[in-house]
Amino acid sequence: MMRVIPASEEAFAVLDCFTAAFNRQDVVGMDATLHFLHFFPGVPPVIWPRAGSLSPDFFSELVSSGWAYSRYTKRELLLASSEQVHFLVEYDRCRSDDSVLSRQAAIWIVVCIEGRWGIQVRSNE
């Protein structure tokens, strides 16, 4: 069993704050949990240069798909140091009746920059 270090406790708290803001559809609150440049690896990669980079239609489209909230099903610490923590994150996007709309898996990297912990990389499947 992996020992939880203080940095990972702070990183877990960032994940909780992000998801709480996400479920409130609070873009400013979500941005407060991120570091910028914010990076989504892929082909092509996506880079958010600053807060406010989320598409203005994101939540209206998500809600129109039936989404009501998201919940973690796994938050596994993969690597941790005093300045960064890597997680395997799995979560469900759920309807208001608690049925699962979709399941997602990702690697998220939470880093401490200038004394503030924030998510800098989110790599979804």
Side-chain angles (χ1 to χ4, degrees):
M1 182 169 188
M2 184 175 287
R3 182 175 63 87
V4 175
I5 61 171
S8 63
E9 291 172 5
E10 292 186 59
F12 273 111
V14 169
L15 298 184
D16 290 338
C17 289
F18 175 86
T19 299
F22 189 92
N23 285 335
R24 291 189 310 269
Q25 301 178 40
D26 175 3
V27 175
V28 172
M30 289 168 47
D31 283 348
T33 68
L34 305 177
H35 277 302
F36 300 95
L37 302 170
H38 191 74
F39 185 66
F40 299 87
V43 181
V46 175
I47 298 172
W48 287 356
R50 67 189 67 80
S53 295
L54 183 67
S55 165
D57 299 331
F58 178 80
F59 279 112
S60 61
E61 291 175 4
L62 191 58
V63 168
S64 71
S65 76
W67 175 85
Y69 68 94
S70 294
R71 65 178 173 218
Y72 290 113
T73 57
K74 178 187 265 187
R75 298 180 313 159
E76 181 181 340
L77 190 150
L78 299 175
L79 297 169
S81 72
S82 62
E83 296 175 345
Q84 62 180 312
V85 179
H86 298 223
F87 290 99
L88 169 60
V89 175
E90 295 179 1
Y91 56 94
D92 291 341
R93 289 190 172 160
C94 300
R95 297 177 187 90
S96 59
D97 66 1
D98 298 326
S99 65
V100 175
L101 182 63
S102 67
R103 292 201 158 99
Q104 310 287 320
I107 301 294
W108 289 7
I109 301 174
V110 182
V111 299
C112 185
I113 298 174
E114 297 179 359
R116 186 179 74 82
W117 285 90
I119 306 165
Q120 189 155 44
V121 176
R122 290 183 289 160
S123 175
N124 291 358
E125 64 179 345

